[in-house]
């Protein structure tokens, strides 16, 4: 990992992988000829892979092919290596590591911190050659807070110098993090970075302006990386006129957070990237409608609070569609063609119109062509305060006859604004509840009567149900002892059902976390109470 960081002080740590200790002054860079950094540029810096990229253009060329390392750093490496060899025992003289093939050594180098990988160049000319071939993780992060003048300008100059060096080392990933004014005055440099990365075979790009007061628009060259597989953009704006210039044939994963985009640009990214498999869109502004037409997309997640319409028009391979805050915007959801859809959420009474296949579902009689037999996991929001919510939920569940997991979230105001008690109809058959649902997850459970009645309704009808998980907020008015006693009494009536109660530090959208943020889905901040 190639990092451009501040020198080791009380506010920084040298334990970060691949950390580069920055020079006492910003590296020199000429915009006209873009020469590599001079030897003085890394005076006192810790040796690492980015110094191999930027620090050696001014040094004399060596016959063994490593002309970019300044002489003091090479001498330091040689002295350390000689000291280690002098301490080695005679029986350790065999070079077991050197007997490995190049492919394995390259894999080892790619997983080492940059400074350790750079030290391998002192071993032999073979290791220097392998170092050049190893893929580079370029982590360009502005020090925070900026120290010794190492702010935006210093970071831009450092990246310019590294990418302008004569050695065309392949770049596997490029992470760019800035604060303050960002690259406001350096848009041509950023444009040039992405053009250079396009020639280096970059596969992952992560751009984050980190809570800047004003948004910066990224150049169109970002969307012209033919080798790119993963793109993550945060706190930036996408170019408005980039739809016709889009060239991302290998893009598989797209993550946009707090990004402003035009309707045309986002639509082109979702529909015209032939390899796109997963898209996560959070707090996207400038877009009021998404019309999905993608042959490759498998998963679409997001917070769609600003949308007025979400249409899945042609997605033959889509398996997961999870959107939060659709409920707040009252967006229309239309699923026209998604024959492999298995995970769907969040649906509620205010998501209208809800179109399944070619039929509008309004809470009334369910027609045969409305059924979505492929859906196995469904998340719904129940507004216990609205009149007719029992009929709506029952009819909605009939649209998913093969459902296995049901996630339920109470509407925020549904408990404090209860109008009247509404009984659940236990006489009408619901196929999925009776025959296929094995798990029920109740999110933000408060232990209110209306919620218990809903659980009793499910328990009374379910035949295949095995597990009920209840997640309550920490500090919520829910007597744990009383709940435990109630569960024990329920277990005597339904001995085959397992009840689990968890507490969470903040409201959770369980389905969204499980499928959108798998790293946070190990009951993080949740404690089992039973």
């Amino acid at each position: 990992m190639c990092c451009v960081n501040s020198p080791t002080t009380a506010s920084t740590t040298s334990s970060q992988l691949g950390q580069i200790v920055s020079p006492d002054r910003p590296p020199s860079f000429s915009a006209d000829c873009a020469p590599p950094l001079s030897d003085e540029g890394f005076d006192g810096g810790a040796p690492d892979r980015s110094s191999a990229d930027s620090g050696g253009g001014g040094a004399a060329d060596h016959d063994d092919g490593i002309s970019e390392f300044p002489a003091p750093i090479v001498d330091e490496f040689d002295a350390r290596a000689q000291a280690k060899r002098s301490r080695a025992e005679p029986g350790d003289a065999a070079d077991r590591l050197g007997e490995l093939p190049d492919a394995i050594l390259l894999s080892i180098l790619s997983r080492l911190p940059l400074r350790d990988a750079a030290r391998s160049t002192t071993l032999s000319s073979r290791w220097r050659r392998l170092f050049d071939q190893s893929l580079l993780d370029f982590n360009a992060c502005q020090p925070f807070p900026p120290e010794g003048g190492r702010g935006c300008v210093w970071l831009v100059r450092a990246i310019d110098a590294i990418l302008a060096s004569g050695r065309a080392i392949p770049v596997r990933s490029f992470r760019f993090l800035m604060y303050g004014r960002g690259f406001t005055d350096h848009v041509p440099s950023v444009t040039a970075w992405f053009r250079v990365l396009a020639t280096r075979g970059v596969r992952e790009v992560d751009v984050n302006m980190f809570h800047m007061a004003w948004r910066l628009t990224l150049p169109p060259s970002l969307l012209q990386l033919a080798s790119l597989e993963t793109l993550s953009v945060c706190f930036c704006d996408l170019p408005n006129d980039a739809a016709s210039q889009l060239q991302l044939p290998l893009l598989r994963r797209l993550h946009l957070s707090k990004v402003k985009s035009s309707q045309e640009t986002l639509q082109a990214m979702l529909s015209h990237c032939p390899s796109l498999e997963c898209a996560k869109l959070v707090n996207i502004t400038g877009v009021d409608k998404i019309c999905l037409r993608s042959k490759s997309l498998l998963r679409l997640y997001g917070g769609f609070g600003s949308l007025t319409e979400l249409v899945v028009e042609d997605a033959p391979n889509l398996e997961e569609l999870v959107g939060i805050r659709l409920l707040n915007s009252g967006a229309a959801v239309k699923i026209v063609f998604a024959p492999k859809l298995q995970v769907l959420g969040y649906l509620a009474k205010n998501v209208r119109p809800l179109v399944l296949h070619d039929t509008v579902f309004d809470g009334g009689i369910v027609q045969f062509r409305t059924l979505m037999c492929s859906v196995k996991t469904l998340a719904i929001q129940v507004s216990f305060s609205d009149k007719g919510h029992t009929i709506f939920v029952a009819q909605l569940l009939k649209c998913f006859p093969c459902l296995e997991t049901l996630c339920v979230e109470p509407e925020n105001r549904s408990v404090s604004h209860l109008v009247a008690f509404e009984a659940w109809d236990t006489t009408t058959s619901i196929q999925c509840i009776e025959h296929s649902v094995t798990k029920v997850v109740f999110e933000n459970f408060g232990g209110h009567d209306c919620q218990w009645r809903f659980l009793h309704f499910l328990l009374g009808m379910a035949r295949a149900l095995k597990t009920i998980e209840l997640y309550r907020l920490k500090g919520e008015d829910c007597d744990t002892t009383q709940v435990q006693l109630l569960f024990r009494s329920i277990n005597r009536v339904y001995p085959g059902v397992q009840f689990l109660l968890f507490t969470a530090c903040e409201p959770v959208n369980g389905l969204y976390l499980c499928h959108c943020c798998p790293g946070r889905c190990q009951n993080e901040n949740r404690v089992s109470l039973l």
Side-chain angles (χ1 to χ4, degrees), residues 424-430 434 457 461:
W424 292 87
D425 184 6
T426 58
T427 61
T428 304
S429 174
I430 303 177
E434 289 186 0
F457 162 70
M461 185 176 295

Side-chain angles (χ1 to χ4, degrees), residues 185-215:
D185 303 323
H186 306 279
V187 175
S189 293
V190 177
T191 301
W193 296 347
F194 294 128
R195 289 175 179 168
V196 173
L197 292 172
T199 65
R200 304 286 183 89
V202 66
R203 289 184 275 177
E204 300 179 15
V205 169
D206 184 354
V207 180
N208 191 337
M209 293 296 103
F210 202 74
H211 297 281
M212 291 187 59
W214 53 87
R215 292 181 181 272

